[in-house]
Amino acid sequence: MPDRGGGPTGPRIRVGRPSRRVRTLLMTLGVLAVLGMAFTMFAGFWTDWLWYRSVNYSSVFTTTLWTKIGLFFVFGLLMALAVGVNIWLAHRLRPPLSAMSMEQQSLDRYRMGIAPYKKWLLLGITSLVGLIAGASASSQWRTWLMWVNGVPFHQKDPQFHLDISFYTFDLPWYRFLLGFGFAAAILSVIAAALTHYLYGGLRVTSPGARATAAATGHLSVLLGVFVALKAVAYWLDRYGLAVKSSDFKATDNWTGLRYVDANAYLPAKTILFCIAVICALLFFATLWRRTWQLPVIGFGLMVLSAILIGGLYPAIVQKFQVQPNEQAKEAPYVAKNLKATREAYGIDDAKVSEYEGKSTTEKTKLRDDATDAASIRIMDPNIVSPTFQQLQQMRNYYAFPTNLDVDRYSTKDGNDQDTVIGLRELNLNGIPKNNWINDHFRYTHGYGAVAAKGTEADSQGRPVFTESDLPSKGDLKTYQQRVYYGEKTNTYSIVGGPQKEIDYSDDSGEKTFSYTGKSGVNLSNPINRAAYAVAFNEPQILYSGAIGEGSRILYNRTPKERVEAVAPWLTIDGDAYPAVVSGKIQWIVDAYTTTNGYPYASRTTLGDTTADSLTATNNSRAVVAQQNQVNYIRNSVKATVDAYTGQVKLYQWDTQDPVLKTWMKAFPGTVEPKGDISQALMDHLRYPQDLFKVQRELLSRYHVEDAQTFLSGSEVWQVPDDPTNKSGNAVPPYYLSMKMPDQSSQAFSLTTTFTPNGRDNLSAFMSVDAEAGTSDYGKIRILKLPTNTAVNGPKQVQSQFNSKPDIAETISLLNRGDSTVEYGNLLAVPLDGEFLYVEPVYVRGGGLKYPLLRKLLVTYGGNTAFEDTLGAALNKVFGADVSTTQPPPDQGDTTKPPQTSTNPTVQEALNDAQKAFDAGQEALSKQPIDWEAYGKAQKDLEAALTRAEQAQTEAGKSGGKPSSSPKPSGSPSASPSG
């Protein structure tokens, strides 16, 4: 046999032991792996800190971080101590080896095996449970901050007469502490029992006593603690009845006590509390009695009582007392639920008025009233986005959101105009070539706002733009047009360094720009670059030559995610909207404070309540907090995000909201007072859609204030499905300047309709004053129709439109070939006891990629019109004399033939103007649009009109009779350029 250790017969071979070089390599790799993981964790932490510091909300980051760390260590340490002390105590109370049975001696090899590692094993077990408990506790940072900073509501619940803050701020924290206590007690019992068994304190199969006196006393105390915690749970459950959800036929998600809760569960919980206290004392008594007999009897009694008193007795009360006379028994509790729910959702002041449902005025006399009743918006912001895209995109790397927004802007004469507005945002999918430099350095921002009158269309059915072109110009005057932060900006950009950005392009070519704002994080620091290279998994950030002095990285760029990041305690509305305010584009974001702990107020799921036909068909429209169940909501904060600098500002809107006051105590200095809102910004704040949708859902049941009526269900309404959309989802609310019966003038409002449950006729109409800064802002008005009067609802109106032969034939003709008919928003306007319905009809032609307004559907009092203009449709519906009725100012006739003049010079100029106008329209109809020809036509048009005016003036001076104001067919102001 050869000598493996080496010798004369051969070389020495070392087996099973790596060489020093291999060990060094393995150690080096291990150290590098640890350092890599550590730097990855550091990169996430460091980039978060840098971002919060860049937006001046570092206090949010530090407060949240230190709260999480504090909860992690405190509760992790408490859990580790609880388990560790009980393991140590069980080991210390072990019996001597001589007293161990054969069963226990058989475990000797396990005891010997762990003997050298007892301390490490104890440390490992306690560390593991501590880490798990600490991680769980750190997630409760919101609960802790609300408890420690909670302010009173100064309102008391009707059952226990405690301030509502007890249920919203205190009770959740007490429940967390109770859950933590149960976990600690159970883990301690398990750990102590295993230790006692391993070291002979407990026996399973051996004859004689099953436990030593020391083990009996130790485990009895732990079980006594568990039962004592159960007693506390029974006591807290009494208060929990006020915020308990249950199934009730009167409404889904019922919250609060019912008859059976107040008369069966509440006394049962009190009795069970007393039994649990006695049972806990019996367990503690085993320290002296050293027997399990009484504690086991007491525990059995508690379990039996929980079944009989806590389960069977309430079922008997429900069956034999409540069900035979349910309405009488439940009415007092329903009344409490009605009052609390209306208060919790801010609908307690909703004004319900009876509405006749029919008009007694002669229709011909209502023509002018129809114009005064509302500024009918015929430009649907959810339809015309492709039109904006086609006419105002200018470059493929720009895009508009799927849903545009409605705002109010002052016209040149000082009046407010409902305006459809959208921003020309960056669209990376449209850039000529995608690569890292183009995607993140060259193409970095959108450019300009585009706005159009909501109540007008030009002669070809296109929007009448009040702000258009690139750079944008029009009624909005001078403002910072670059859009670095927007709803479609979902990737990072690196700006301000050596690499120039594309600003915009015009006929003279591309313009470049270098970002001068202070937004984002500076990448001049190599540590920052390395951290972002790791955080974004993009190594080029570390070594790219396109990054240098002054380079800044912009990310978290959508308005919603910026506000969510700086105020993680707020629920964000699904629709941020842009406004040009004091020379800047500001994104306005509505934010809510919520809780699900308001006693007696029924709950709703925000994601379900705020869903409608728009959220179902357009992914760009977000839905708030999909599964966030709440029973209290306030629009407490109005936030703004600067589209150029990314600056986020939070303004206190509801100055009375206790939940907001609590969070302002927790995060001082983050929310600015309401008085800091400028008038220019106030002019663009509006009532939020998502809050309105939550309130309308609740008001479909809670518009009644009588408990008997509520229980009968005879007055339950529903939000109708959108008749213009095949998604089967609810009709969205619409912004509209209109006048309710008790109002003397139009107000910017948010409106919706209701139908009876299971039927399609109209049961009510709801509006809220949506214009911030007015005395009636937030005032909800409901027009309730009589049940004996059948008024057509939205679905019936749409069916009526479709069923008329002449309308159906025209729609069929418009739908021929490659053309598609698209129905716009079906607007309802109260007018003299009835409702005026208006629906724009768009046609997307085969050669066009965008819809054009072609027809207006109007109905009132059984009369229906399908005309080219709103004025003509109203005239037909009301039987007005067209020759004596002036068209409404928002729908002037843009198709009349050119006027003539006896002056040959004037007539020649008018003819030239008409030719120039026709040339401009032809240029616009081309695909793509011939902007050069259009611009030349506009110049020729302006020159021809100037010549006509001069010739007419000269004729007047010389005694000639001037003709009426010369103008070609179609106003130049109706052109897409605005």
Side-chain angles (χ1 to χ4, degrees):
M1 181 178 293
D3 183 4
R4 294 190 180 182
T9 58
R12 178 181 294 272
I13 301 175
R14 299 184 182 273
V15 178
R17 189 173 181 181
S19 67
R20 180 176 299 177
R21 180 177 299 174
V22 173
R23 291 200 305 271
T24 302
L25 179 60
L26 291 175
M27 289 179 62
T28 302
L29 292 175
V31 170
L32 290 176
V34 171
L35 290 176
M37 288 188 291
F39 188 78
T40 301
M41 296 174 61
F42 167 78
F45 165 82
W46 184 243
T47 53
D48 285 347
W49 161 250
L50 291 174
W51 186 86
Y52 276 97
R53 191 175 65 174
S54 73
V55 292
N56 298 317
Y57 281 90
S58 55
S59 62
V60 174
F61 178 80
T62 54
T63 299
T64 305
L65 177 65
W66 286 117
T67 302
K68 290 179 178 179
I69 291 175
L71 291 172
F72 177 85
F73 280 105
V74 169
F75 286 94
L77 184 61
L78 287 175
M79 183 65 77
L81 284 174
V83 174
V85 166
N86 281 286
I87 292 176
W88 172 83
L89 187 59
H91 179 266
R92 186 177 178 84
L93 296 176
R94 67 190 184 280
L97 292 175
S98 58
M100 292 186 180
S101 64
M102 293 298 295
E103 173 193 357
Q104 295 160 340
Q105 290 177 5
S106 66
L107 298 173
D108 189 56
R109 66 178 182 274
Y110 297 108
R111 289 192 292 270
M112 293 181 63
I114 65 174
Y117 310 105
K118 282 192 296 185
K119 291 182 179 180
W120 291 107
L121 188 60
L122 177 63
L123 181 62
I125 293 173
T126 55
S127 298
L128 179 62
V129 296
L131 287 171
I132 295 173
S136 176
S138 66
S139 66
Q140 297 294 320
W141 64 271
R142 290 181 177 86
T143 308
W144 161 260
L145 287 176
M146 293 184 78
W147 178 68
V148 77
N149 295 288
V151 301
F153 276 66
H154 299 297
Q155 292 175 268
K156 295 184 178 180
D157 78 282
Q159 181 67 41
F160 302 101
H161 306 293
L162 296 173
D163 192 272
I164 290 173
S165 62
F166 170 79
Y167 300 94
T168 56
F169 304 141
D170 300 343
L171 190 57
W173 179 249
Y174 297 153
R175 281 176 164 167
F176 163 71
L177 291 178
L178 187 63
F180 178 83
F182 274 125
I186 292 172
L187 289 175
S188 295
V189 167
I190 294 173
L194 289 174
T195 306
H196 279 299
Y197 177 72
L198 183 63
Y199 286 96
L202 292 178
R203 303 173 185 176
V204 178
T205 59
S206 299
R210 298 297 183 187
T212 63
T216 300
H218 184 197
L219 294 177
S220 295
V221 170
L222 292 177
L223 291 172
V225 170
F226 177 85
V227 177
L229 290 171
K230 187 62 180 174
V232 175
Y234 282 133
W235 189 257
L236 287 180
D237 284 347
R238 298 169 67 255
Y239 303 110
L241 292 172
V243 290
K244 175 179 71 73
S245 289
S246 60
D247 295 328
F248 189 31
K249 69 178 184 180
T251 179
D252 297 330
N253 295 315
W254 170 276
T255 302
L257 285 82
R258 291 157 52 195
Y259 181 90
V260 69
D261 297 313
N263 295 279
Y265 281 111
L266 185 56
K269 297 292 184 183
T270 305
I271 294 171
L272 289 171
F273 164 76
C274 296
I275 294 173
V277 170
I278 295 171
C279 186
L281 292 176
L282 292 176
F283 272 106
F284 293 141
T286 57
L287 284 172
W288 296 276
R289 294 180 56 85
R290 302 296 185 181
T291 175
W292 292 90
Q293 186 175 6
L294 286 179
V296 170
I297 293 173
F299 188 77
L301 176 63
M302 186 178 74
V303 173
L304 183 62
S305 300
I307 296 172
L308 296 177
I309 302 175
L312 185 59
Y313 174 62
I316 293 173
V317 170
Q318 179 69 24
K319 180 70 175 178
F320 295 102
Q321 290 190 35
V322 178
Q323 288 185 5
N325 191 16
E326 186 173 37
Q327 288 206 0
K329 295 291 187 182
E330 298 289 13
Y333 303 97
V334 170
K336 296 175 183 178
N337 176 270
L338 282 169
K339 184 176 183 295
T341 302
R342 289 170 63 86
E343 290 174 349
Y345 289 94
I347 56 177
D348 48 325
D349 292 330
K351 180 183 177 183
V352 180
S353 304
E354 298 295 330
Y355 197 63
E356 300 89 340
K358 57 183 178 180
S359 172
T360 57
T361 307
E362 186 180 345
K363 288 185 174 56
T364 55
K365 297 180 180 180
L366 292 176
R367 175 61 182 85
D368 291 337
D369 292 341
T371 302
D372 295 336
S375 296
I376 302 295
R377 181 170 43 73
I378 61 177
M379 282 290 113
D380 185 347
N382 308 306
I383 295 289
V384 299
S385 178
T387 309
F388 272 53
Q389 185 82 0
Q390 187 69 21
L391 299 179
Q392 290 296 322
Q393 179 188 22
M394 304 303 185
R395 296 292 182 268
N396 288 337
Y397 47 82
Y398 293 134
F400 292 94
T402 305
N403 301 111
L404 302 176
D405 289 288
V406 178
D407 203 346
R408 298 96 59 219
Y409 285 90
S410 295
T411 59
K412 294 177 181 178
D413 57 8
N415 296 323
D416 285 344
Q417 164 76 46
D418 286 4
T419 301
V420 177
I421 187 171
L423 298 188
R424 194 183 285 112
E425 295 189 46
L426 179 66
N427 174 29
L428 287 179
N429 293 327
I431 67 176
K433 183 178 181 180
N434 287 101
N435 55 54
W436 190 64
I437 293 295
N438 279 347
D439 291 353
H440 301 289
F441 291 83
R442 293 276 290 164
Y443 296 90
T444 60
H445 60 277
Y447 209 99
V450 176
K453 294 180 180 181
T455 55
E456 290 189 37
D458 69 9
S459 59
Q460 296 189 29
R462 295 172 300 191
V464 177
F465 292 107
T466 58
E467 183 79 10
S468 59
D469 297 339
L470 182 67
S472 294
K473 54 182 177 291
D475 293 351
L476 300 183
K477 301 178 182 178
T478 303
Y479 60 97
Q480 173 56 262
Q481 298 196 19
R482 298 174 180 91
V483 181
Y484 281 88
Y485 295 87
E487 290 179 301
K488 302 179 75 69
T489 315
N490 50 22
T491 188
Y492 70 90
S493 289
I494 299 176
V495 298
Q499 178 66 58
K500 292 293 184 180
E501 312 162 42
I502 292 178
D503 202 21
Y504 66 91
S505 301
D506 59 16
D507 293 339
S508 61
E510 290 183 346
K511 305 292 190 297
T512 59
F513 181 72
S514 187
Y515 185 69
T516 57
K518 300 300 181 183
S519 183
V521 177
N522 196 322
L523 291 181
S524 300
N525 188 326
I527 295 178
N528 292 357
R529 293 178 65 170
Y532 279 102
V534 172
F536 289 176
N537 194 27
E538 182 49 72
Q540 292 186 80
I541 294 177
L542 185 60
Y543 56 78
S544 174
I547 301 176
E549 188 65 31
S551 292
R552 310 183 73 85
I553 185 168
L554 314 180
Y555 61 106
N556 288 350
R557 297 170 71 183
T558 68
K560 187 175 185 292
E561 66 183 345
R562 289 182 81 78
V563 176
E564 278 180 332
V566 303
W569 34 273
L570 291 173
T571 300
I572 310 303
D573 189 271
D575 183 29
Y577 60 98
V580 177
V581 180
S582 301
K584 300 176 181 178
I585 298 176
Q586 297 282 353
W587 287 99
I588 300 175
V589 183
D590 286 287
Y592 310 108
T593 49
T594 62
T595 179
N596 66 350
Y598 197 99
Y600 271 103
S602 290
R603 290 184 170 90
T604 187
T605 303
L606 291 182
D608 296 337
T609 308
T610 58
D612 57 29
S613 60
L614 295 182
T615 61
T617 57
N618 297 309
N619 294 329
S620 63
R621 172 99 168 105
V623 178
V624 296
Q626 287 287 345
Q627 300 304 322
N628 189 7
Q629 206 175 53
V630 304
N631 68 351
Y632 172 94
I633 185 170
R634 291 290 186 272
N635 178 211
S636 296
V637 171
K638 300 283 190 181
T640 62
V641 177
D642 192 294
Y644 178 72
T645 65
Q647 182 184 30
V648 182
K649 286 189 176 181
L650 308 176
Y651 295 100
Q652 183 183 16
W653 185 247
D654 189 334
T655 57
Q656 304 301 317
D657 178 29
V659 181
L660 178 61
K661 291 178 180 179
T662 296
W663 287 119
M664 290 174 68
K665 279 183 64 179
F667 296 97
T670 56
V671 181
E672 300 183 27
K674 186 175 183 178
D676 286 358
I677 299 177
S678 67
Q679 185 59 48
L681 176 59
M682 185 73 74
D683 291 341
H684 295 280
L685 299 182
R686 68 187 191 189
Y687 202 83
Q689 290 187 59
D690 284 334
L691 176 61
F692 185 76
K693 286 189 281 188
V694 171
Q695 291 174 325
R696 75 172 178 179
E697 177 66 27
L698 270 296
L699 281 168
S700 66
R701 289 162 288 148
Y702 286 90
H703 62 276
V704 301
E705 299 184 47
D706 177 64
Q708 297 290 346
T709 306
F710 185 84
L711 280 167
S712 71
S714 61
E715 290 291 335
V716 175
W717 301 335
Q718 65 183 12
V719 180
D721 291 341
D722 189 349
T724 68
N725 191 295
K726 297 180 181 179
S727 66
N729 291 84
V731 61
Y734 297 123
Y735 287 106
L736 181 69
S737 289
M738 54 161 288
K739 182 170 64 175
M740 290 290 277
D742 63 337
Q743 293 178 297
S744 59
S745 59
Q746 293 181 13
F748 188 67
S749 306
L750 192 53
T751 66
T752 192
T753 53
F754 291 107
T755 57
N757 195 15
R759 289 182 290 152
D760 293 326
N761 56 291
L762 196 67
S763 58
F765 176 84
M766 172 181 168
S767 77
V768 63
D769 278 27
E771 187 168 356
T774 60
S775 58
D776 281 348
Y777 172 81
K779 183 175 182 179
I780 297 174
R781 296 178 174 88
I782 299 175
L783 303 179
K784 182 176 178 290
L785 285 94
T787 55
N788 58 356
T789 301
V791 178
N792 287 338
K795 187 175 181 180
Q796 292 173 322
V797 170
Q798 189 68 44
S799 177
Q800 180 180 327
F801 287 154
N802 297 338
S803 61
K804 283 191 169 293
D806 54 336
I807 295 177
E809 182 179 355
T810 305
I811 293 292
S812 178
L813 289 172
L814 293 174
N815 260 323
R816 285 184 177 178
D818 294 332
S819 298
T820 304
V821 171
E822 297 181 22
Y823 294 101
N825 38 220
L826 179 57
L827 302 176
V829 178
L831 177 63
D832 194 53
E834 293 191 40
F835 285 92
L836 173 68
Y837 284 97
V838 180
E839 182 178 78
V841 178
Y842 298 83
V843 176
R844 193 188 293 257
L848 297 176
K849 299 179 180 178
Y850 57 94
L852 298 174
L853 180 65
R854 289 306 186 198
K855 292 284 185 179
L856 272 302
L857 280 164
V858 178
T859 185
Y860 181 84
N863 294 346
T864 300
F866 189 48
E867 301 295 328
D868 294 342
T869 66
L870 180 60
L874 292 174
N875 288 338
K876 183 174 181 180
V877 163
F878 292 103
D881 185 355
V882 179
S883 63
T884 60
T885 303
Q886 294 296 325
D890 61 349
Q891 197 64 22
D893 187 356
T894 59
T895 59
K896 57 187 178 182
Q899 296 172 328
T900 61
S901 172
T902 56
N903 187 321
T905 306
V906 174
Q907 184 61 50
E908 182 182 1
L910 286 175
N911 292 338
D912 291 343
Q914 184 63 61
K915 292 177 182 177
F917 179 81
D918 293 341
Q921 297 303 304
E922 182 180 356
L924 288 173
S925 65
K926 293 181 178 180
Q927 297 298 322
I929 295 173
D930 189 343
W931 292 106
E932 183 178 354
Y934 176 74
K936 182 179 182 302
Q938 291 295 297
K939 292 178 181 179
D940 293 343
L941 175 61
E942 184 178 358
L945 290 175
T946 301
R947 283 192 289 112
E949 185 176 358
Q950 289 174 349
Q952 191 175 23
T953 302
E954 291 174 0
K957 290 179 180 179
S958 62
K961 186 178 180 180
S963 64
S964 58
S965 300
K967 185 174 287 190
S969 65
S971 167
S973 64
S975 66
S977 64

